[in-house]
Amino acid sequence: MRTPVAAACLAFSLCFAASASAATTQGGEPHTAKAEGGALDVVSVSFGQRSRELEIVYRSTEAITPQLLAEVKGGQICTVFEQASIAARAVCVTRSNGKWQIVSRGERVEGSVSQPRESELRLRFEPAAAKLRVGLADVYVNATAAGCSAQQAKAAKVTWSEAAIVSAAVLELPCEHRLPRVGNYRARVWDVVVSGCRRHGAGQVSRGPSGSKRVALTYDDGPSTYTPAFLRELRKLGVPATFFVIGQQVSANASVVRAMLRDGNMVANHSWNHANLGGGGAGASSQLRDTNAAIRRATGFTPCLFRPPYGSTGADLVSRANAQGMTSVLWSVDPLDWRTPGTGAIVNTALGQTHGGGIILSHDGGGPRSQTLEAMPQIVRGLKRRGYTFVTLTDLLGYSERITLAK
Ligand code: ZN
């Protein structure tokens, strides 16, 4: 079996491009199956895993129209994954309720489908969402046009290239189209490790884009004895936060910092020992570097956000943070929780000041934090009622994750 690998695909963990020649050139005329009941002529497929998501790209010689893949008439393009010790899983794209949908075993798979050109469909989904396992898989593709009945499929026991030789007028075209025609591709589903994030844009920010009602909760000065309770509360509320941690407190609380990331929160740098670094200088650089090293040792993750202690900042400090791949982040909403003004006051100030793109400052360490903890669910529910959604700071700023793929 021949599986030519396109050069553009080499960065991918698994990637094959099926040869179009067998399907389209042998009979001379390219196949077109615009009518219902014909074969859907998928001539190439490529697989890749750039990030958490597996990407499958199907290309055809013709427009892949909603009609061709109408779910009600059985239209679909499926990639079948055969993995050791589990039953084969078909992950299919179909058209239903006016939308492209990814479906596996009759259930919707969360993901996205785009159509960069009319003859191309691009699917992205997390392998776990389709219940695929990390490891090797035998893979093939099966395309069925809408309206293709079982009888038709049986009657048309010719391969596509044979069909192409005979005039389409005298031969019913085959309903199904398989790639590769014989055998399987060999693919690998990788485990995904988030190893960092990638900053861009302004060197220092104090708010996110105001266009949408997204806000970021941030907690400074931990990890502390309070932090596990903050994490439990966030899990209950189903929202993420961003934790600016003190470097020298990380190694003794390594499991707490790991739990932050595991729960979908963001971990960020708040200096080694909360020194005032506003004047910059080489000492500031080593505070930042040592803190990132401690976080990396505990979690494997390298932050891309830094918050200057006391909000004390300056051009030299910002450029030193940027040089280490971090944006300097201040805030736009300050309920002054560290002064312990009472839970009600913290809640009211937070609700009163919040705006689209808001960065809310609070503290999970550095003093008594039960008021801050008590205020959190009230702030979250209050802002949700006003239509706000909660995201990590990296999401708010549109930063991407750095991903490492592991077997
Ligand atoms: Zn602080």
Side-chain angles (χ1 to χ4, degrees), residues 152-164:
Q152 254 181 307
K154 227 174 183 180
K157 270 190 183 162
V158 286
T159 61
W160 156 240
S161 53
E162 286 167 313

PDB file of all heavy atoms in Angstrom, residues 152-164:
ATOM      1  N   GLN A 152     -28.640  -0.062  -3.608  1.00  0.00           N
ATOM      2  CA  GLN A 152     -27.760   0.575  -4.585  1.00  0.00           C
ATOM      3  C   GLN A 152     -26.308   0.225  -4.301  1.00  0.00           C
ATOM      4  O   GLN A 152     -25.546  -0.089  -5.180  1.00  0.00           O
ATOM      5  CB  GLN A 152     -27.911   2.086  -4.485  1.00  0.00           C
ATOM      6  CG  GLN A 152     -28.687   2.712  -5.605  1.00  0.00           C
ATOM      7  CD  GLN A 152     -28.730   4.210  -5.402  1.00  0.00           C
ATOM      8  OE1 GLN A 152     -29.118   4.692  -4.343  1.00  0.00           O
ATOM      9  NE2 GLN A 152     -28.316   4.931  -6.407  1.00  0.00           N
ATOM     10  N   ALA A 153     -25.978   0.307  -3.005  1.00  0.00           N
ATOM     11  CA  ALA A 153     -24.607   0.042  -2.610  1.00  0.00           C
ATOM     12  C   ALA A 153     -24.220  -1.366  -3.003  1.00  0.00           C
ATOM     13  O   ALA A 153     -23.119  -1.632  -3.461  1.00  0.00           O
ATOM     14  CB  ALA A 153     -24.460   0.239  -1.112  1.00  0.00           C
ATOM     15  N   LYS A 154     -25.170  -2.301  -2.849  1.00  0.00           N
ATOM     16  CA  LYS A 154     -24.917  -3.699  -3.159  1.00  0.00           C
ATOM     17  C   LYS A 154     -24.795  -3.897  -4.676  1.00  0.00           C
ATOM     18  O   LYS A 154     -23.909  -4.576  -5.167  1.00  0.00           O
ATOM     19  CB  LYS A 154     -26.080  -4.552  -2.628  1.00  0.00           C
ATOM     20  CG  LYS A 154     -25.627  -5.767  -1.864  1.00  0.00           C
ATOM     21  CD  LYS A 154     -26.831  -6.466  -1.263  1.00  0.00           C
ATOM     22  CE  LYS A 154     -26.381  -7.640  -0.429  1.00  0.00           C
ATOM     23  NZ  LYS A 154     -27.541  -8.324   0.152  1.00  0.00           N
ATOM     24  N   ALA A 155     -25.732  -3.268  -5.413  1.00  0.00           N
ATOM     25  CA  ALA A 155     -25.763  -3.424  -6.864  1.00  0.00           C
ATOM     26  C   ALA A 155     -24.493  -2.875  -7.496  1.00  0.00           C
ATOM     27  O   ALA A 155     -24.001  -3.416  -8.480  1.00  0.00           O
ATOM     28  CB  ALA A 155     -26.985  -2.708  -7.432  1.00  0.00           C
ATOM     29  N   ALA A 156     -23.992  -1.825  -6.920  1.00  0.00           N
ATOM     30  CA  ALA A 156     -22.840  -1.172  -7.522  1.00  0.00           C
ATOM     31  C   ALA A 156     -21.554  -1.709  -6.932  1.00  0.00           C
ATOM     32  O   ALA A 156     -20.859  -1.042  -6.205  1.00  0.00           O
ATOM     33  CB  ALA A 156     -22.960   0.327  -7.306  1.00  0.00           C
ATOM     34  N   LYS A 157     -21.303  -2.952  -7.222  1.00  0.00           N
ATOM     35  CA  LYS A 157     -20.128  -3.583  -6.631  1.00  0.00           C
ATOM     36  C   LYS A 157     -18.876  -3.327  -7.464  1.00  0.00           C
ATOM     37  O   LYS A 157     -18.026  -4.190  -7.611  1.00  0.00           O
ATOM     38  CB  LYS A 157     -20.357  -5.094  -6.498  1.00  0.00           C
ATOM     39  CG  LYS A 157     -20.990  -5.458  -5.161  1.00  0.00           C
ATOM     40  CD  LYS A 157     -20.992  -6.950  -4.946  1.00  0.00           C
ATOM     41  CE  LYS A 157     -21.689  -7.287  -3.641  1.00  0.00           C
ATOM     42  NZ  LYS A 157     -22.074  -8.696  -3.595  1.00  0.00           N
ATOM     43  N   VAL A 158     -18.847  -2.203  -8.074  1.00  0.00           N
ATOM     44  CA  VAL A 158     -17.665  -1.854  -8.853  1.00  0.00           C
ATOM     45  C   VAL A 158     -16.867  -0.828  -8.075  1.00  0.00           C
ATOM     46  O   VAL A 158     -17.416  -0.055  -7.309  1.00  0.00           O
ATOM     47  CB  VAL A 158     -18.057  -1.256 -10.210  1.00  0.00           C
ATOM     48  CG1 VAL A 158     -18.558  -2.339 -11.134  1.00  0.00           C
ATOM     49  CG2 VAL A 158     -19.105  -0.174 -10.029  1.00  0.00           C
ATOM     50  N   THR A 159     -15.601  -0.837  -8.267  1.00  0.00           N
ATOM     51  CA  THR A 159     -14.812   0.199  -7.618  1.00  0.00           C
ATOM     52  C   THR A 159     -14.966   1.464  -8.440  1.00  0.00           C
ATOM     53  O   THR A 159     -15.379   1.433  -9.594  1.00  0.00           O
ATOM     54  CB  THR A 159     -13.324  -0.176  -7.593  1.00  0.00           C
ATOM     55  OG1 THR A 159     -12.882  -0.296  -8.941  1.00  0.00           O
ATOM     56  CG2 THR A 159     -13.107  -1.477  -6.863  1.00  0.00           C
ATOM     57  N   TRP A 160     -14.629   2.542  -7.849  1.00  0.00           N
ATOM     58  CA  TRP A 160     -14.816   3.814  -8.520  1.00  0.00           C
ATOM     59  C   TRP A 160     -14.044   3.881  -9.835  1.00  0.00           C
ATOM     60  O   TRP A 160     -14.581   4.289 -10.857  1.00  0.00           O
ATOM     61  CB  TRP A 160     -14.432   4.961  -7.597  1.00  0.00           C
ATOM     62  CG  TRP A 160     -14.055   6.174  -8.371  1.00  0.00           C
ATOM     63  CD1 TRP A 160     -12.882   6.826  -8.362  1.00  0.00           C
ATOM     64  CD2 TRP A 160     -14.874   6.838  -9.329  1.00  0.00           C
ATOM     65  NE1 TRP A 160     -12.903   7.860  -9.241  1.00  0.00           N
ATOM     66  CE2 TRP A 160     -14.118   7.877  -9.857  1.00  0.00           C
ATOM     67  CE3 TRP A 160     -16.160   6.635  -9.808  1.00  0.00           C
ATOM     68  CZ2 TRP A 160     -14.602   8.746 -10.835  1.00  0.00           C
ATOM     69  CZ3 TRP A 160     -16.645   7.486 -10.788  1.00  0.00           C
ATOM     70  CH2 TRP A 160     -15.875   8.538 -11.288  1.00  0.00           C
ATOM     71  N   SER A 161     -12.818   3.447  -9.851  1.00  0.00           N
ATOM     72  CA  SER A 161     -12.039   3.620 -11.074  1.00  0.00           C
ATOM     73  C   SER A 161     -12.610   2.776 -12.211  1.00  0.00           C
ATOM     74  O   SER A 161     -12.574   3.169 -13.367  1.00  0.00           O
ATOM     75  CB  SER A 161     -10.582   3.280 -10.832  1.00  0.00           C
ATOM     76  OG  SER A 161     -10.486   2.008 -10.263  1.00  0.00           O
ATOM     77  N   GLU A 162     -13.189   1.616 -11.880  1.00  0.00           N
ATOM     78  CA  GLU A 162     -13.865   0.822 -12.909  1.00  0.00           C
ATOM     79  C   GLU A 162     -15.076   1.580 -13.439  1.00  0.00           C
ATOM     80  O   GLU A 162     -15.326   1.622 -14.629  1.00  0.00           O
ATOM     81  CB  GLU A 162     -14.306  -0.526 -12.337  1.00  0.00           C
ATOM     82  CG  GLU A 162     -13.158  -1.485 -12.124  1.00  0.00           C
ATOM     83  CD  GLU A 162     -13.573  -2.666 -11.265  1.00  0.00           C
ATOM     84  OE1 GLU A 162     -14.208  -2.442 -10.225  1.00  0.00           O
ATOM     85  OE2 GLU A 162     -13.268  -3.786 -11.649  1.00  0.00           O
ATOM     86  N   ALA A 163     -15.816   2.175 -12.504  1.00  0.00           N
ATOM     87  CA  ALA A 163     -17.023   2.899 -12.892  1.00  0.00           C
ATOM     88  C   ALA A 163     -16.684   4.051 -13.823  1.00  0.00           C
ATOM     89  O   ALA A 163     -17.443   4.368 -14.723  1.00  0.00           O
ATOM     90  CB  ALA A 163     -17.731   3.421 -11.650  1.00  0.00           C
ATOM     91  N   ALA A 164     -15.561   4.637 -13.584  1.00  0.00           N
ATOM     92  CA  ALA A 164     -15.201   5.804 -14.373  1.00  0.00           C
ATOM     93  C   ALA A 164     -14.932   5.457 -15.823  1.00  0.00           C
ATOM     94  O   ALA A 164     -15.073   6.293 -16.704  1.00  0.00           O
ATOM     95  CB  ALA A 164     -13.974   6.466 -13.754  1.00  0.00           C
TER      96      ALA A 164
END
